[in-house]
Amino acid sequence: MTTLYGPRIGVALGGGAARGLAHIPIIEAMDEMGLKPSLIAGTSIGAFIGAGWAFGMSGREIREHALDVLGSTRALSSRLWKTQVYDIREMFQNGISMQFDALRVLGAFSPKPFPRRFRNLKIPLRVIATDYRSWHPAVFHEGRLDKALAGSIAIPSLFKPVIHEGRMLVDGGVVNPLPLDYASQDMDIVIGVDVNGDPLLTDPSLTPSTIDIGMGAAQIMMHALTAQTLGAYPPDIYVKPNVRNIDAYEFWRVREALAAGDEVKDRFKAQLTEKIDIFIAAQGRTAEAG
């Protein structure tokens, strides 16, 4: 007698800074369907949220935490300020840097407890960062999780590079903003969640700020890289919440990002149900033929 089994589901959670909060409703959707992925691959904010998921947090728990730490500009600013200077001696020794320390920011915004090592996770996770010196992806699945995540979220210029395992790491979105190649390894169903956004419709008479230009240029680059990845590793389900109007650094707009994810949630559930039904039907035909 042939035993039927559920599909192995791989999920790629893309980078997009504040827009990445739209990942959360997709996690909630899978929770509501009683499904867990067999593999998660994440870049930048996708790696951070994916780590919470891999640790065993539900989508609802991740949503509540995001609202708690990002729900107001005061709460956000307070946490960021605390990451800059721990004591007066450090300020005089190192000076006040305009760049944030990614490891400290990660610690300030992570739920407690949060795993420091990959071995503490319940679901396999691939964290994608960029090796600044070699220009190649740096992919982590064992050892120090916190360091790997810090490297993955280290947006150039905004964060200091992260030194980990002898490599200088910056944001994974520089080389692989939607890691479908790593999420698809030995999986039956592959899901890609793209939160990079689309061109923002703005008043042509306004001159963008320096940070807007920098973030916008990174978004254009990530859009081009994602298009290449989609061509090379087309997912079974491609999810793209409408986060066009949320700038990369506007984490205080957490409710709007969540709402964008909520809008695509039902369609995603219908698509995933269909793919699972097709997979199970194919198993049944194979069993009958055998």
Side-chain angles (χ1 to χ4, degrees):
M1 182 176 66
T2 301
T3 301
L4 302 183
Y5 62 91
R8 298 180 296 271
I9 301 174
V11 182
L13 301 178
R19 295 183 290 265
L21 296 164
H23 285 309
I24 297 171
I26 303 305
I27 297 173
E28 290 176 323
M30 290 190 64
D31 290 343
E32 291 162 12
M33 298 174 71
L35 298 171
K36 293 290 183 186
S38 298
L39 176 65
I40 303 167
T43 293
S44 198
I45 184 75
F48 185 26
I49 291 175
W53 194 12
F55 184 49
M57 293 180 70
S58 68
R60 174 60 61 179
E61 289 170 334
I62 298 173
R63 179 187 288 256
E64 290 173 353
H65 177 73
L67 288 169
D68 181 47
V69 300
L70 303 171
S72 71
T73 52
R74 177 176 294 182
L76 177 60
S77 298
S78 175
R79 286 176 184 267
L80 281 177
W81 173 250
K82 290 176 183 178
T83 67
Q84 286 296 82
V85 179
Y86 280 122
D87 58 47
I88 197 70
R89 289 171 299 176
E90 184 175 0
M91 184 177 72
F92 280 110
Q93 287 171 359
N94 301 328
I96 298 178
S97 173
M98 295 303 292
Q99 290 183 300
F100 290 103
D101 183 307
L103 193 60
R104 289 182 179 178
V105 169
L106 193 72
F109 288 92
S110 296
K112 304 295 185 292
F114 198 76
R116 290 189 63 200
R117 306 192 75 85
F118 279 91
R119 66 168 178 255
N120 301 125
L121 301 178
K122 299 176 181 177
I123 299 171
L125 175 69
R126 303 290 182 266
V127 173
I128 288 79
T130 299
D131 186 325
Y132 180 77
R133 294 193 179 101
S134 73
W135 295 9
H136 293 147
V139 184
F140 300 95
H141 68 276
E142 60 185 4
R144 286 280 298 270
L145 173 63
D146 55 350
K147 283 270 195 174
L149 290 174
S152 187
I153 69 169
I155 298 171
S157 298
L158 185 61
F159 289 94
K160 301 172 187 175
V162 175
I163 305 300
H164 178 45
E165 295 186 356
R167 289 185 274 191
M168 179 180 287
L169 305 177
V170 297
D171 192 300
V174 173
V175 290
N176 194 341
L178 185 61
L180 289 165
D181 44 349
Y182 295 99
S184 62
Q185 296 172 355
D186 298 320
M187 296 294 114
D188 300 306
I189 296 175
V190 179
I191 300 165
V193 189
D194 180 0
V195 292
N196 184 50
D198 291 296
L200 184 63
L201 302 177
T202 57
D203 185 342
S205 66
L206 298 177
T207 301
S209 68
T210 301
I211 190 170
D212 286 334
I213 289 289
M215 292 292 189
Q219 191 176 0
I220 294 167
M221 175 195 68
M222 290 170 66
H223 177 80
L225 289 171
T226 297
Q228 293 179 11
T229 301
L230 288 168
Y233 302 92
D236 297 289
I237 300 174
Y238 175 59
V239 185
K240 189 173 183 179
N242 182 11
V243 289
R244 176 197 297 266
N245 294 318
I246 301 173
D247 283 330
Y249 55 85
E250 293 181 324
F251 282 94
W252 58 88
R253 297 177 64 184
V254 55
R255 291 175 177 81
E256 294 168 70
L258 290 168
D262 288 335
E263 288 178 2
V264 300
K265 189 175 173 182
D266 288 341
R267 185 169 74 241
F268 166 72
K269 290 168 76 171
Q271 290 175 318
L272 183 52
T273 298
E274 180 183 7
K275 293 296 182 183
I276 292 172
D277 288 345
I278 292 171
F279 175 82
I280 293 174
Q283 278 195 94
R285 289 193 297 271
T286 301
E288 289 174 3

